Amino acid sequence: EDKVVQSPLSLVVHEGDTVTLNCSYEVTNFRSLLWYKQEKKAPTFLFMLTSSGIEKKSGRLSSILDKKELFSILNITATQTGDSAIYLCAELNNNDMRFGAGTRLTVKP
Amino acid sequence: NAGVTQTPKFQVLKTGQSMTLQCAQDMNHEYMSWYRQDPGMGLRLIHYSVGAGITDQGEVPNGYNVSRSTTEDFPLRLLSAAPSQTSVYFCASSRWGAIGELFFGEGSRLTVL
C-alpha cells in the first residue's frame, strides 16, 4: 500500500530558528506532492510540487521535491509563533490523495 | 464567499444510529472528497467524486455511503454508526485541473457512544 511518512512527528523551536520538515513517499502513478498547514481547524494549501528540483517559495516557506529519492522537504526560515501548526504532506495518485500523519511544529517566543 | 460548508459541526450518536453529514461548495468545483482525521493518523480519504453522478472509494470506505446528484453537494452517510467512526470529518473540493489544491470545510466532530 502507498505510504507517506513524515518526520519528525513533532518539533519545538524558538522564534527565529530555521526548520526543515521531511516527507517521504512510495507510490505508483504519482502525480504531485502537496503540503498543507493545519492550525486549529481545516488544513490550508501551501504548495503543490510536480517536478523534481524546482523550488516553490512563498515568503519564509519553501519546498522542493526529489522524485528520484521519493522525498520532499518543507523549509521555514525565521520562524514566528504564528507558524505553530501541524504540517501535512500528501501524495496525489491518480484521483485520490494520501496524507502523512503530519509534523506538529511549536514555535516558542 | 462561503467556500465549503459542512453541517453539523458537532454530533453525538448512539451505536447503530444513522446520520448524514452535509457538504456544499459554491465554487463550481468538479472534485469533492471526504476525509476523516484521527489523532496520530493524519487525514484518511473515505470517498471522492470527480463530478456529478460519479463517486469512488478511497482508503477507508467501509461503513460510509456517498452520492453526488449535483455539482454543489456531496453528503456522507453513516448507515449504522459504530464507536470506531468517532472522528473529525472534513469535506474538501477542488477544480478538476488542480485536484491537489483542496479547499476544506471547517470539519464535523462526530462522537459515537
Side-chain angles (χ1 to χ4, degrees), chain A residues 12-109:
Chain A
V12 180
V13 301
H14 287 92
E15 274 193 316
D17 288 348
T18 293
V19 298
T20 298
L21 309 183
N22 304 292
C23 176
S24 67
Y25 63 97
E26 34 181 270
V27 64
T28 54
N29 299 314
F30 172 85
R31 286 177 65 176
S32 301
L33 191 289
L34 300 109
W35 285 95
Y36 285 81
K37 178 183 182 181
Q38 185 175 24
E39 296 176 86
K40 289 189 170 34
K41 290 186 178 177
T44 54
F45 172 80
L46 292 174
F47 298 113
M48 178 190 286
L49 303 156
T50 307
S51 302
S52 267
I54 298 174
E55 185 182 56
K56 293 271 182 107
K57 203 167 167 63
S58 176
R60 295 176 295 102
L61 277 66
S62 63
S63 183
I64 199 161
L65 175 68
D66 185 327
K67 289 170 77 171
K68 183 179 175 187
E69 300 297 329
L70 304 182
F71 77 91
S72 174
I73 59 172
L74 175 69
N75 280 322
I76 309 175
T77 59
T79 51
Q80 302 171 357
T81 55
D83 295 326
S84 295
I86 297 172
Y87 291 84
L88 298 162
C89 105
E91 158 261 320
L92 176 62
N93 173 4
N94 289 331
N95 290 328
D96 71 54
M97 279 175 59
R98 303 295 170 100
F99 281 81
T103 293
R104 181 180 293 276
L105 174 65
T106 303
V107 182
K108 292 189 170 181

Side-chain angles (χ1 to χ4, degrees), chain B residues 30-99:
Chain B
E30 299 90 347
Y31 183 89
M32 296 186 75
S33 53
W34 277 102
Y35 289 86
R36 60 177 288 173
Q37 187 171 33
D38 303 295
M41 298 191 75
L43 292 158
R44 291 185 291 167
L45 180 65
I46 304 171
H47 287 284
Y48 64 94
S49 168
V50 299
I54 305 168
T55 64
D56 209 342
Q57 295 181 350
E59 190 181 353
V60 289
N62 292 342
Y64 307 95
N65 275 358
V66 291
S67 60
R68 184 97 180 268
S69 55
T70 67
T71 299
E72 293 78 21
D73 300 298
F74 191 44
L76 178 73
R77 296 183 188 86
L78 283 70
L79 303 175
S80 178
S84 62
Q85 294 178 304
T86 294
S87 189
V88 178
Y89 291 85
F90 288 99
C91 177
S93 73
S94 69
R95 293 181 293 114
W96 173 244
I99 288 178

